[in-house]
Each structure stands twice: as structure tokens, then as C-alpha cells.
Amino acid sequence: MSIKQVFISFFILFTTVSLSAQEIVELTTSVSKKELGINQRLKIEFSINKQGGDNFEPPKFENFEVIAGPSSSINQSWINGKASYSQAYIYIIKPNKVGTFIIPPATIEYEGKLIKSNTVQVTVLSESEVPKDPNDPSYIASQNVHLVAEVSDTNPYVGEGIYVVYKLYWSTKIGLGDWRVNDLPQFNGFWNQDIEVTNREAKNTTYKGEKYRSIVISRALLIPQKSGKLNIDPINADLTVHIPTGRGDFFGNAITHRMGYSVSSGKRTVNVKDLPINGKPENFTGAVGDFDFVLSASKDILRANETTQVNVKVLGKGNLKLFEIPKISTPSELEVYTPEHNENVRTTLSGLSGEISDSYTIVPQYKGKYKIPEVSFSYFDPEQEKYNTIIAKSLIVDVIEGKSLPSSSVDQVKINKQDVVLSANNFRYIQNKTKFEPMVRKDFFKSKLFYSLLLLPFLAIPIGIFLGKKKDERDSDIVGNRQRKADRMAKKYLSQAKKQLGKKEAFYIALEKALHNFLKAKLNIETTDISKEKITEILQERKVDSETIKEFVEVLNDCDFARYTPTTSTMMQQEYDKARVVITKIDKQI
């Protein structure tokens, strides 16, 4: 090659590079289609024609959801002496609703300048049918991937439990990659509880007679709350599927086309039957299933003021959380407290099973035998399609020790007092007082009383001096004064409780009231209606030590508990002394 040819080649190369350097930098937006169905996906690509772009910022995809991306690709070539370069940022998006939308521009920085792309208008139509092209990957996916809602019973009674299982089926002809559930159903009209899926391993199965694989995506227990047609909403999932292309690589491995695909389970309808009117018991409260009913007592022989627990229990399988347990009735001589409700219920695909109960605390006041009447429980059995009633036998509570029950039939004896009629023949009353006066009176002058009063001023002076010194000593004793003041305060507030010693109910009420009155006077607040935790917090703010606060709260708790448990006069005296000590401590610290 001559020197002239080399020079010409370099000149052409320099000219080409110079011209390419003068090309305008552009960021271009392009889409795979400008019109699509709401069930389809859209590929959008942002491409820059110059190397060196930085800080790419995609637009806000309003009314669309990003399914995949961003992915990046670079294309660089040299054709006929002309260099070309492009870098693309690719997204896969899915429309959220029907309409015509404008995708805003993306931005990228190039040599300190901000470059914007063009806008693109996209029209989203209603769900479009996938073309029946056996070579189209979307059509192949639609024929081989199915999301199914399996309902155990589409014709249940109100209150009868059913279940729904959402399963994803895919043919063995294709592969499944990642999947994600977008929308969970609301189950309007049903009481519902999700059942955890602990095993999501794929299993071999059949679907419409063909070999498939499946996984359980979600499952729930449903109990209809009203009759009529109720809809079970669908769930939607986004999948990554691998569609065979029918080609193989150099090593004979099948080449697949990886693509995103959306699938829906479709809406299911359940026709809920109302419970029959005929034969419905008056005490029916909505229990549906198969149950047993038990009435029992923790002990039926006890002493007055001891406690026993009467349990009303429903156990079995059905809508255990959705009905009321029958209540018991008791004689007025038994003190009954608000029942404690307990549940031990398991949730499975077969429904709710286990037991629920109400536990009543009963405290008898008097000696005797008391009857808790029988209690009945009614439920509807959907398998037998009839109502059943269980009657629990009555209980006898035998109180063997305690005060006798006051009788209202005791005759009141009236004593009529009459004045004594005096007559001459009767003895007169003996007088035990006289009104005699001495006949001779002594003079006050020079009497013992006279000299005593005369010497009294001289005796009062040393006594006054002595008492004054004692008072000064006592006034200077600050600790002693606070102790005496606290003792007086304690005696003041506990005086009523002291009068009630020996009377359990009255004593503990008076003791508790004395504690609250003491706090009210010291803190200028009403403490009767606030919690013990709040009282603790207030005393801590007043710098009362924690041990004293603990003792005060313990006395309050003892007042609550001791009313319902057996106690003695000795125990009441101990509580009184404990309260007096703790009031004294608090008064000294505030």
C-alpha cells in the first residue's frame, strides 16, 4: 500500500469519526404495541444512541404495574465505515385499568445535560381473547397454565363451614419459574380465616385427564353469614413460564422461551341455604355443626364463702366462634360473678373443632342445699338436616358449714308495757336517791379548799416551766412529730374499718375506702376509679419509695381478694395493722 493510500484511509476515518461526533444525542421511547387488552402485557424500551449516558430515571408508570425490569442491553456496530451505538433500558408492564394513557418521558444525563425521551400514547381495551396460534407463546401458556379455586361445597347452609383452596396447575410440557399473588379475595358475606400453607412443594397430578403439576397457593375456611348467592372473589397471580420453542442447542438441550404471564382463578358462586324454620327451638342461637354440651362444677360440697367454678361447655365441630353459650340461672342466695370465656379451637380444612366454655365463680353465703337448674343447648346438624337439643342435668351445691339462712316467717313477739297502778294496799317503790342537805354549813374561809386554791398559783409556775421545756423538746423533734402526725392520720382514716373488725364484707369495704380517702386527702385527686398501676405511677412521682408503694398495692389487692375467700378475725386484724403501717409510711414521705 502506497503512502498516498494510507493518507487517504486515515482522512476518511477521521472524517467519519468527526461526523459521528456531531450526531444529536437522543433518548427514544418505543413500545411493543400501542393497543392491548387489560389481560396482556407491554414491553417498553428506552434507548440512547450515544455512549456515556448516566443516571437513567424511568417515568412514573401511572395506571400500569411493573412486572419485570429494568433490564439493559447494549448494541455497538461498525458498518461501511460508520460506527453506531445504542443502550436500551427495558421494562415489562401490565395495565391496571381500561383507557387511553400517555407514558411520560424518561430522563438520562449526558455530559452534564439532562436528556428527555418522547412520550408514548397507549390504549388499553377490555380483556381480549388470546389468538389461537399454536406457535404463539401466550396461547401456549393460556392452554397449559390454570389457577383454580376449589370449593368444598357450593350449596351449604348458613353457618355451615366450607373451604376454598386456590391451586396453580401447569402442564408438564412447560416450565414454571417465579410466581406472585397480586390480589387476595375479601370473602364478603363470609366469616373467614386463612389456613397457613406449610408445604408449597410441587406435586404430580392430573387436570382434565392430562398430566400436570400443582402447588397450593392459598386456602381459607369460610362460614356463610347470610343466605342467597354469595361470590368468592378470584385471585390473580403473575408468573414466569418457560415455553418450549421446539429447537435445541448444540448439546441437544431444549431451548425455551422465557416470558411473563398473568392468570386469574375466576369468580366462584356459592348458593347458601337458609336454616329451616320448622322445628327451630326457641333457645337456638345459631350453632351449626355436631356438638356435645356439658354442665359441671369444680366441687359441689363446700363451706359458706368458699368458691366453686361452674363450667358451661360446648365441644365438637362447627361454627364454635359464632354463637352464644347458654347462661345458667342460680338461687339468689348464691353470689355469682361475670363468667370467664375460654376458647380452645383449631382451624383446619374440615372446619372449626375444639371447645368453648363459660366459667362462673359462685360463692355461697349461707348453709344449705342449692339447686342450679338444668340448662339446654340447641344446634342445627347440616348432615342430618335437623335441629338437636341437649339438656344438661341440674347441679346441687351443698353448703355444709356457715350461717343459717334467715327466715322471713319468724313471728315477731311484741311486748306491751303497762304503767304500774298504785293503790294503798301495795308496797311502794323503794327510793334509791335522797335529797337531804346538811343542817349546819361550814365557812369557805380557812377551809381545806381555801388553802388549796391559795397554793395553786405557786404550784402552777414550776409545772408550767416543766411543761414548757417538754413542749420545746417535742417541737424540736421533727422525726417524732412526723411520726405522731402520721399515726393520727392513720387512726383517722382507719377508724371506721376498726369498728367493722370481725365483719368480713363490711371491714374490707371500709378498709379499701379508707385507703382511697387517704390518697384523696394527700394527693388532692380522686383515686377510686383509677387503676392500681396509675396509683403506683402517682406515688412514684411523689418520691414514695418502691417498697412502700408495693405494700400499699398489696393491701388494696387483699381487700379485693379477701371478700371472696374465707378469712378470720386474726387475719382482719393483721390487714388492719398492715394498712395502718403503710399509711404512716406514705404520710411521712409526702
Short mmCIF file of all heavy atoms in Angstrom, two decimals, residues 479-491 522 584 587-588 590:
data_model
loop_
_atom_site.label_atom_id
_atom_site.label_comp_id
_atom_site.label_asym_id
_atom_site.label_seq_id
_atom_site.Cartn_x
_atom_site.Cartn_y
_atom_site.Cartn_z
N VAL A 479 -38.64 14.38 113.52
CA VAL A 479 -38.98 13.00 113.15
C VAL A 479 -40.14 12.48 113.98
O VAL A 479 -41.08 11.86 113.48
CB VAL A 479 -37.75 12.08 113.29
CG1 VAL A 479 -38.12 10.63 112.99
CG2 VAL A 479 -36.63 12.55 112.37
N GLY A 480 -40.06 12.76 115.28
CA GLY A 480 -41.13 12.30 116.16
C GLY A 480 -42.46 12.95 115.83
O GLY A 480 -43.51 12.30 115.87
N ASN A 481 -42.40 14.26 115.53
CA ASN A 481 -43.65 14.95 115.17
C ASN A 481 -44.29 14.36 113.92
O ASN A 481 -45.50 14.18 113.85
CB ASN A 481 -43.37 16.44 114.97
CG ASN A 481 -43.16 17.17 116.29
OD1 ASN A 481 -43.65 16.71 117.32
ND2 ASN A 481 -42.44 18.27 116.26
N ARG A 482 -43.45 14.07 112.92
CA ARG A 482 -43.99 13.49 111.67
C ARG A 482 -44.58 12.11 111.95
O ARG A 482 -45.60 11.72 111.39
CB ARG A 482 -42.90 13.40 110.61
CG ARG A 482 -42.39 14.75 110.15
CD ARG A 482 -41.52 14.63 108.93
NE ARG A 482 -42.31 14.20 107.78
CZ ARG A 482 -41.81 14.03 106.56
NH1 ARG A 482 -40.52 14.23 106.36
NH2 ARG A 482 -42.58 13.65 105.58
N GLN A 483 -43.91 11.34 112.84
CA GLN A 483 -44.41 10.02 113.19
C GLN A 483 -45.76 10.12 113.89
O GLN A 483 -46.70 9.38 113.56
CB GLN A 483 -43.40 9.30 114.08
CG GLN A 483 -43.84 7.91 114.53
CD GLN A 483 -43.92 6.94 113.38
OE1 GLN A 483 -43.07 6.95 112.51
NE2 GLN A 483 -44.98 6.14 113.36
N ARG A 484 -45.87 11.07 114.85
CA ARG A 484 -47.13 11.22 115.59
C ARG A 484 -48.25 11.72 114.66
O ARG A 484 -49.40 11.30 114.75
CB ARG A 484 -46.92 12.19 116.76
CG ARG A 484 -46.15 11.57 117.92
CD ARG A 484 -46.08 12.51 119.11
NE ARG A 484 -45.20 13.65 118.86
CZ ARG A 484 -43.88 13.62 119.07
NH1 ARG A 484 -43.30 12.53 119.52
NH2 ARG A 484 -43.15 14.69 118.83
N LYS A 485 -47.88 12.65 113.74
CA LYS A 485 -48.87 13.15 112.79
C LYS A 485 -49.37 12.03 111.88
O LYS A 485 -50.57 11.89 111.61
CB LYS A 485 -48.27 14.27 111.95
CG LYS A 485 -49.22 14.85 110.92
CD LYS A 485 -48.54 15.91 110.08
CE LYS A 485 -49.50 16.42 108.99
NZ LYS A 485 -48.82 17.40 108.10
N ALA A 486 -48.42 11.19 111.43
CA ALA A 486 -48.79 10.08 110.56
C ALA A 486 -49.68 9.08 111.30
O ALA A 486 -50.63 8.54 110.74
CB ALA A 486 -47.53 9.39 110.03
N ASP A 487 -49.36 8.83 112.60
CA ASP A 487 -50.19 7.90 113.39
C ASP A 487 -51.61 8.44 113.53
O ASP A 487 -52.59 7.68 113.45
CB ASP A 487 -49.56 7.69 114.77
CG ASP A 487 -48.29 6.84 114.67
OD1 ASP A 487 -48.12 6.14 113.66
OD2 ASP A 487 -47.48 6.91 115.61
N ARG A 488 -51.73 9.76 113.77
CA ARG A 488 -53.06 10.35 113.90
C ARG A 488 -53.81 10.24 112.57
O ARG A 488 -55.02 9.98 112.54
CB ARG A 488 -52.95 11.82 114.33
CG ARG A 488 -52.50 12.00 115.77
CD ARG A 488 -52.77 13.43 116.25
NE ARG A 488 -52.07 14.41 115.44
CZ ARG A 488 -50.82 14.84 115.68
NH1 ARG A 488 -50.14 14.35 116.72
NH2 ARG A 488 -50.26 15.74 114.91
N MET A 489 -53.09 10.46 111.48
CA MET A 489 -53.71 10.37 110.15
C MET A 489 -54.23 8.96 109.90
O MET A 489 -55.33 8.75 109.41
CB MET A 489 -52.69 10.77 109.08
CG MET A 489 -53.23 10.75 107.65
SD MET A 489 -54.40 12.08 107.30
CE MET A 489 -53.28 13.47 107.29
N ALA A 490 -53.39 7.96 110.26
CA ALA A 490 -53.79 6.57 110.04
C ALA A 490 -55.00 6.22 110.88
O ALA A 490 -55.95 5.58 110.40
CB ALA A 490 -52.62 5.64 110.36
N LYS A 491 -55.00 6.65 112.16
CA LYS A 491 -56.14 6.36 113.03
C LYS A 491 -57.41 7.03 112.54
O LYS A 491 -58.50 6.48 112.61
CB LYS A 491 -55.82 6.80 114.46
CG LYS A 491 -54.76 5.96 115.14
CD LYS A 491 -54.46 6.48 116.54
CE LYS A 491 -53.38 5.65 117.21
NZ LYS A 491 -53.05 6.16 118.58
N LYS A 522 -54.32 13.32 100.62
CA LYS A 522 -52.91 13.66 100.49
C LYS A 522 -52.56 14.17 99.10
O LYS A 522 -51.70 15.04 98.95
CB LYS A 522 -52.04 12.42 100.81
CG LYS A 522 -52.13 11.96 102.25
CD LYS A 522 -51.62 13.00 103.23
CE LYS A 522 -50.13 13.23 103.09
NZ LYS A 522 -49.62 14.17 104.10
N THR A 584 -48.93 5.27 107.51
CA THR A 584 -47.96 6.05 108.27
C THR A 584 -46.69 6.31 107.45
O THR A 584 -46.16 7.42 107.42
CB THR A 584 -47.58 5.31 109.56
OG1 THR A 584 -48.77 5.10 110.34
CG2 THR A 584 -46.58 6.11 110.38
N ASP A 587 -47.45 8.88 104.62
CA ASP A 587 -47.66 10.23 105.15
C ASP A 587 -46.33 10.87 105.55
O ASP A 587 -46.16 12.09 105.42
CB ASP A 587 -48.59 10.14 106.37
CG ASP A 587 -48.98 11.53 106.87
OD1 ASP A 587 -49.70 12.23 106.13
OD2 ASP A 587 -48.54 11.91 107.97
N LYS A 588 -45.37 10.06 105.99
CA LYS A 588 -44.07 10.61 106.38
C LYS A 588 -43.24 11.00 105.15
O LYS A 588 -42.37 11.87 105.24
CB LYS A 588 -43.30 9.56 107.19
CG LYS A 588 -43.88 9.34 108.58
CD LYS A 588 -43.29 8.12 109.23
CE LYS A 588 -41.82 8.29 109.50
NZ LYS A 588 -41.25 7.11 110.19
N ILE A 590 -44.55 11.99 101.99
CA ILE A 590 -45.16 13.02 101.12
C ILE A 590 -45.20 14.35 101.86
O ILE A 590 -45.71 14.42 102.97
CB ILE A 590 -46.58 12.59 100.69
CG1 ILE A 590 -46.50 11.32 99.84
CG2 ILE A 590 -47.24 13.70 99.88
CD1 ILE A 590 -47.83 10.83 99.37
#
